[in-house]
Amino acid sequence: MSLKLGVIGTGAIGQDHIRRCMQTLSGARVSAVNDINPDSAAGAVEKYAPAARIVVDPHQLIASDEVDAVLVTSWGPSHEEFVLGAIRVGKYVFCEKPLATTAEGCRRIVEAEMKHGKRLVQVGFMRPYDTGYRALKAVLDSGRIGDPLMLHCAHRNPRVGKNYSTDMAITDTLIHELDVLRWLLNDDYVSAQVVFPRHSPKALPHLRDPQIVLLETAKGTRIDVEIFVNCQYGYDIQCEVVGELGIAKLPEPSAVLLRSQAARSEAILTDWKERFIAAYDVELQDFIGGVCEGRLRGPSSWSGYAAAVAADACVAAQGTGAVVPIKLPAQPGFYA
Ligand code: NAP
């Protein structure tokens, strides 16, 4: 039997997830679609899920008998409302990051889920499903490079739109590192500081780009993450772990090594959808499998909350330049 999915939000990632559910993954189909812009929903349905129904009211979609589980892929500020709506009717929900735009919003979701008594929420942090990050974690967990002492990371995009603001470098961009590095190190953050190098003339005047975020973990590991969202040359994700006994680096995506015109070169991807395409497939297949088995395994509401607590501190640190403490409450046993 095929799991019936209802999708709220048919922008870039909503359409991509509808495509993968209908064309790539198994065990599920998209049965209902909503977007605040009905023409967008109609376009997505026509392109990828012709048998799906367009539902104008997102809460009707959540409650519908035609929907077994919900995918929330609308813009961030609407996530909390839809995730809480799904929990209220006891349905599984996959929510794109951010789980909510504030740590308080994530906390409300955590509390609602715990009150329900069973995990219903998976957050769309896909990097723990990426084969490169998994290989890196296997090396760290093996002890081959000893304890991690320092991490040097970079998150670079070729360019961003005019609505992208300085705080979005944290809440939209760094949020992926905040989740995956916590998972990679099996550690929590205790402080954050943000420093700004010389402004890139390729960035619009209102946007402070690039920025460097400095994090410290409870075990004393120091992390620097360069965020550079107008780097021009590509979508480039870097992560190097310096341990007591050696260095482990996130593998580059595979690319043909080209010898041509007196140069040796490898293409660099420019589109985030391509960089993590396999990880998105595996994360959503895992969600579908988890729903069918009645046991979700992917990033939880607590992961969404932990990332949001750290993000709030980083945004505060952007404003002051000071070291800002990060205080994450102890993880409830419910999420162990
Ligand atoms: P997008 O292209 O702007 O799409 C968002 C869609 O949601 C738009 O069609 C928007 O309609 C619609 N929408 C807004 N408010 C809504 C509401 N209240 N009810 C129903 N639909 C609503 O953005 P996107 O790039 O797809 O991003 C969507 C979410 O996914 C964001 O939270 C983003 O951070 C996340 N995301 C995650 C990843 C990842 O790597 N995991 C990658 C990309 C995006 P209008 O255009 O008419 O406002």
Side-chain angles (χ1 to χ4, degrees):
M1 200 194 73
S2 176
L3 190 73
K4 293 172 288 180
L5 299 173
V7 179
I8 303 177
T10 53
I13 202 147
Q15 290 214 20
D16 206 35
H17 283 342
I18 294 172
R19 175 197 58 73
R20 66 171 38 85
C21 290
M22 297 301 288
Q23 297 179 359
T24 307
L25 308 183
S26 59
R29 67 186 162 85
V30 174
S31 58
V33 174
N34 161 274
D35 192 279
I36 200 161
N37 173 358
D39 289 345
S40 167
V45 163
E46 190 184 339
K47 208 162 167 192
Y48 298 117
R53 199 157 73 84
I54 296 166
V55 183
V56 175
D57 179 343
H59 290 284
Q60 265 181 18
L61 176 142
I62 292 168
S64 166
D65 289 343
E66 292 170 40
V67 168
D68 300 321
V70 182
L71 305 190
V72 177
T73 51
S74 48
W75 78 313
S78 62
H79 291 182
E80 181 184 347
E81 174 192 339
F82 299 143
V83 172
L84 287 174
I87 295 173
R88 217 172 293 125
V89 297
K91 287 192 183 172
Y92 287 102
V93 52
F94 174 94
C95 179
E96 263 311 332
K97 61 85 184 165
L99 178 59
T101 48
T102 62
E104 283 149 66
C106 293
R107 182 88 214 178
R108 283 191 284 274
I109 290 171
V110 161
E111 280 163 8
E113 190 177 35
M114 286 173 61
K115 192 163 167 220
H116 174 78
K118 182 181 168 191
R119 264 199 69 186
L120 292 177
V121 183
Q122 178 169 326
V123 183
F125 287 133
M126 74 299 179
R127 290 200 197 174
Y129 290 97
D130 174 64
T131 50
Y133 274 107
R134 285 188 170 198
L136 182 57
K137 184 164 174 62
V139 168
L140 298 190
D141 290 350
S142 75
R144 279 186 65 191
I145 66 162
D147 286 337
L149 309 176
M150 294 175 278
L151 271 68
H152 308 299
C153 309
H155 189 144
R156 304 190 186 114
N157 296 55
R159 58 196 57 82
V160 289
K162 61 181 183 338
N163 293 331
Y164 188 99
S165 53
T166 299
D167 60 326
M168 285 169 72
I170 306 294
T171 56
D172 255 44
T173 301
L174 181 77
I175 198 85
H176 281 297
E177 271 78 16
L178 290 174
D179 175 67
V180 78
L181 300 182
R182 189 173 162 267
W183 167 84
L184 194 65
L185 296 173
N186 194 23
D187 203 352
D188 279 314
Y189 309 113
V190 293
S191 75
Q193 187 181 15
V194 181
V195 295
F196 295 95
R198 192 172 161 185
H199 184 255
S200 164
K202 297 290 184 195
L204 290 171
H206 75 272
L207 175 64
R208 301 190 74 180
D209 185 46
Q211 10 189 320
I212 300 170
V213 178
L214 303 166
L215 298 161
E216 186 183 6
T217 72
K219 292 176 189 164
T221 304
R222 293 279 185 170
I223 302 168
D224 55 85
V225 187
E226 169 203 315
I227 308 164
F228 188 13
V229 294
N230 286 281
C231 79
Q232 309 295 305
Y233 73 86
Y235 179 71
D236 193 8
I237 302 300
Q238 299 288 327
C239 179
E240 181 180 88
V241 183
V242 180
E244 298 166 297
L245 306 169
I247 291 174
K249 202 166 188 310
L250 182 69
E252 295 285 345
S254 72
V256 171
L257 179 60
L258 187 65
R259 285 177 164 80
S260 167
Q261 299 185 327
R264 224 172 40 177
S265 64
E266 278 177 53
I268 296 176
L269 293 170
T270 54
D271 185 346
W272 51 266
K273 283 196 227 77
E274 292 301 318
R275 171 65 179 84
F276 287 109
I277 190 164
Y280 291 120
D281 288 349
V282 182
E283 76 166 346
L284 264 184
Q285 190 67 70
D286 190 41
F287 174 72
I288 293 164
V291 172
C292 293
E293 289 165 29
R295 195 175 68 86
L296 295 184
R297 303 162 282 243
S300 67
S301 302
W302 189 260
S303 301
Y305 173 61
V309 168
D312 282 0
C314 292
V315 171
Q318 282 181 325
T320 62
V323 176
V324 174
I326 300 175
K327 291 181 185 141
L328 180 67
Q331 180 172 298
F334 182 85
Y335 290 104

